[in-house]
Every structure is written in structure tokens, then in C-alpha cells.
Amino acid sequence: MNSSPVTPKRRISILGSTGSIGCNTLDVMTHLGGREAFEVPAITGMGNIELLAAQARQTGAEFAVTADPDRYADLKSALAGTGIEVGAGPAALVEAGARETDLLMAGIVGIAGLAPTLAAVAQGADIALANKECLVSAGDLFQQAIAKGGGKLLPVDSEHNAIFQVLEQDQRHAVDRIILTASGGPFRDYSRDQMAAVTPETAAAHPNWSMGLKISIDSASMFNKALEMIEARHLFGMRPDQIEVIVHPQSIIHSMVGYTDGSVLAQLGAPDMRHAIGYAIAYPRRASLPVERLDFARLAKLDFHAPDETRFPALALARTAMQRGGLQGAVLNGAKEIALEAFIDGQIGFLEMADIVAATMDKLDDGRVAQTIEDVYETDRDTRGVAASLISKSA
């Protein structure tokens, strides 16, 4: 009697499992077989200990980590009797990233995701990258580590995943431009006076996507698109002048690649993060995913508009950062995070975020480059100090 060989379970670690990327990743994994198909070496979250513990039990995770060192006892108690190892704090996050895995879903928001993701890169794991800041703040360093580690870098941002799908590797010589689409956020039709009066609550109401507060505000200000421009440069080896942004309110076309023969290839799909997540998990195969199928007869129309950089100056700041090079991406990102916190706390207005970022970039335009991860962290610390000082002076 012949028996079919048993397919080994794929090992997938998830950084940031309690956020939107992490929750959607677990949804896709459940659909694709759950514990019958996957093992989870490590899973990490922040303050939602109840959800993190439930996810760890659901997946049979080997190691569960909260990024908050003060919540170790809470997580330990929540997982008592399960046999799941527990950790807390930055060092434990790095340990989670270093666990042997086939694929790491990098879903931690901000520069806090850099060290644990690089730990996985060093182990040769494939990286499903949903963390913009890894490439924005440390693009050259990160790509060097990927080349040395030998793993694949699979973009999970819907825009970069779309480009990854339609950028023909044997035709890279013929790539003329890449076109990132942007929904335009909730304020795409607002005047500058209207935008000056918006609150964090209105900025968090994204018209197409369900995201966290900070990510939604990043989208409303188009700072998320600024980060994506810098990320695209590092992912695809483009010059700054080859990276375009177009406002596409329906979020059906996720991004496009234009070629020198005039052809433009686009990837389309209903607005759903599980498209890109599922593509990365199943790569190089395509899996059957529980997502809406496009009904072209019902779409009626697809609209496109040039972004107004007077109302959304973040895009021009991204071009400045790319042209200056070095660690200006890290400066833009760090200053943006401080300005965003100040906006949420009511210290500055919505439009003042870009002013703080621009002034910080100018003050730290000193040619610094990243030789090590510590160079990135030092620049991030300097940036946050400068931005906080500028905010204090403006109050």
C-alpha cells in the first residue's frame, strides 16, 4: 500500500499579531488550513493581552511576547498551563524574530519593528513586510541584510504588493515608472482651511479601509503615501523621479507599473488587506482566498486625480528625503511620529504636522548614513528630540 508523503507544516511567525495586519494574517492562515497547515514559532503584540493570549492558544504558538515589559505577568497568567513560552519587552521581541521560521509577517508599526525583523532576516527567513519603517528608516542597511541572509522580501502593503505582482523581473530594463495609488483619505475634497480645523477623530475615519488610529491619520495626511514612496525606491530600485502618486478614490487599482513601450500593467482587487497577505503567505503559488470578487459591471467607473501637494505636502517631503539620501528617510519618519502624537494630543493642528517634519529634516540635513542599526536609532533619537523641541516652541 502506497502512502502519500506528508507535507510539512509551514512555520510562520507574526510580529504585531493583535493589529489589523496580524488579525488578517491569522484569518488567512485559518482559511488555508490553520493548525493543520501551519506552525507558529512566535507571536507578538502590545497591550491587548487578552487577544494576544487567545491568538497564542488558537495557533499553538511556541513563544508569545508582549512589547510592553510591564505586562509580562499579565501575559504569563493568561497563558498559564498552556506550555507556551512568554516574554516581554524589546529583547524578547528580537528573540521572537530570531526563532527559526519559514516566513515572518512583519506587522509591528514604527521603528520598533526594525530590530526583530532584522533578527529574522539574519536567520534567512522570508519576510512578509508590512512595516514601512524598516525600509524608510534603514533601506540600504535592510537590503544588505536581506542579500546576506538569503531570504525573500515579499511586500505586504497593498500598493507594493501590487507592483511586485506586475513588475516583470525579466523586463526591469524596460520599467519607466511605478505609480502608487492613494485613496486620498477623508479629506481629499477639503480646502486647506477645512483641513486646518480637522480633529484626530475625523482624521481617523478612513473611507475605504479599517485601520488603527495612527495609520488612519497617516492616510488622511498622506504621510503613509510619503513613506510608501521611499519604501518603493528601496524595494524596486527606482530613482525618485520614477515614482508617481495618483489619487484613486475607489481603491480598486492598487498600483501600476509603466513600461517604456507605453504599456501600463495594473493589479486590481476589492479593498481587502487579505489579498496581499494571502499572496505573501502562499508565494509563489496563488491560494484561494475568502475575498470579494470584482464585479466589473457594478464598478461603473474608476476615477483618478493628481494629488494636490499644497494640501498634502508630505509627498514633496518624501521626494526631498529621497533626493538628499542617507538617513533623511529616518528623519522624516521619526519627525512624523512625534508630530502625529502632538496632533493626537491637541498640541498642534493637522496641517502643522508637515511643518514640523520639514523643519526637522532641514535641521538634520547633515549627510549622516547608516553603517549599523545603532546609526539608525541614534538618528531617530536625535530626530525626536528636535521635533519635540520645535513643537514646544510652537505651542
Side-chain angles (χ1 to χ4, degrees):
M1 178 177 176
N2 294 326
S3 61
S4 300
V6 176
T7 302
K9 294 181 181 180
R10 191 149 193 235
R11 291 171 63 82
I12 299 180
S13 290
I14 307 168
L15 302 180
S17 67
T18 57
S20 58
I21 290 292
C23 289
N24 277 288
T25 297
L26 289 171
D27 182 68
V28 170
M29 289 169 64
T30 298
H31 178 78
L32 296 179
R35 293 177 69 163
E36 296 298 316
F38 303 102
E39 293 178 347
V40 177
I43 192 168
T44 82
M46 184 61 176
N48 193 338
I49 301 299
E50 183 178 355
L51 177 57
L52 177 60
Q55 292 174 335
R57 288 191 297 269
Q58 170 196 338
T59 59
E62 298 165 14
F63 186 38
V65 174
T66 169
D68 185 347
D70 295 329
R71 301 300 300 277
Y72 174 82
D74 296 333
L75 184 58
K76 185 76 172 176
S77 175
L79 290 173
T82 63
I84 297 171
E85 293 181 65
V86 172
L93 286 178
V94 173
E95 183 183 348
R99 293 284 174 115
E100 182 181 350
T101 191
D102 298 317
L103 177 77
L104 178 99
M105 178 60 70
I108 295 177
V109 176
I111 200 169
L114 179 58
T117 304
L118 281 173
V121 169
Q123 296 298 321
D126 291 343
I127 306 298
L129 189 66
N131 173 297
K132 295 178 176 66
E133 292 80 8
C134 282
L135 288 178
V136 171
S137 297
D140 294 336
L141 195 68
F142 197 88
Q143 288 288 29
Q144 290 165 14
I146 283 283
K148 183 177 179 181
K152 292 186 289 292
L153 186 56
L154 305 168
V156 171
D157 270 346
S158 62
E159 295 82 2
H160 301 103
N161 184 268
I163 294 163
F164 185 78
Q165 291 192 44
V166 299
L167 198 162
E168 300 171 293
Q169 292 302 317
D170 60 349
Q171 298 293 332
R172 290 185 70 92
H173 66 281
V175 174
D176 181 49
R177 56 185 173 146
I178 60 175
I179 306 159
L180 299 168
T181 57
S183 71
F187 310 134
R188 57 185 168 236
D189 298 321
Y190 275 37
S191 68
R192 274 187 63 87
D193 287 343
Q194 289 174 308
M195 292 173 73
V198 303
T199 65
E201 290 72 27
T202 54
H206 194 280
N208 298 341
W209 304 93
S210 176
M211 304 180 291
L213 175 64
K214 292 182 179 180
I215 299 175
S216 296
I217 295 173
D218 275 349
S219 176
S221 63
M222 292 191 78
F223 264 110
N224 72 319
K225 207 56 52 178
L227 299 186
E228 287 171 12
M229 291 168 69
I230 300 171
E231 187 180 3
R233 182 190 181 191
H234 289 292
L235 276 171
F236 306 113
M238 297 291 118
R239 301 187 310 271
D241 63 286
Q242 290 179 291
I243 301 169
E244 300 179 10
V245 173
I246 192 77
V247 175
H248 169 48
Q250 293 86 3
S251 296
I252 296 298
I253 294 179
H254 295 144
S255 277
M256 298 170 273
V257 177
Y259 292 89
T260 52
D261 65 357
S263 298
V264 177
L265 302 188
Q267 188 267 338
L268 290 72
D272 191 325
M273 288 184 288
R274 293 175 298 176
H275 281 291
I277 290 168
Y279 187 84
I281 288 175
Y283 185 83
R285 298 175 58 252
R286 286 186 183 269
S288 175
L289 299 174
V291 296
E292 177 187 348
R293 271 46 176 174
L294 284 182
D295 183 342
F296 285 93
R298 291 176 54 200
L299 284 179
K301 64 177 181 177
L302 300 176
D303 296 314
F304 304 94
H305 312 284
D308 181 351
E309 295 189 8
T310 302
R311 291 183 298 128
F312 298 100
L315 303 180
L317 292 175
R319 289 197 192 87
T320 297
M322 288 189 288
Q323 289 161 358
R324 289 177 178 174
L327 280 165
Q328 275 280 290
V331 176
L332 185 154
N333 177 67
K336 183 271 299 181
E337 290 192 6
I338 293 297
L340 174 61
E341 292 284 0
F343 170 61
I344 292 172
D345 292 342
Q347 296 175 265
I348 62 174
F350 184 75
L351 292 176
E352 291 176 282
M353 289 191 291
D355 295 336
I356 295 297
V357 174
T360 305
M361 288 173 62
D362 288 343
K363 281 184 175 292
L364 293 175
D365 180 20
D366 52 13
R368 57 181 72 192
V369 296
Q371 302 294 337
T372 69
I373 192 173
E374 286 305 322
D375 295 330
V376 180
Y377 288 146
E378 180 182 2
T379 293
D380 184 66
R381 287 190 296 268
D382 291 347
T383 296
R384 291 168 188 269
V386 169
S389 176
L390 290 169
I391 289 167
S392 295
K393 290 177 181 177
S394 69

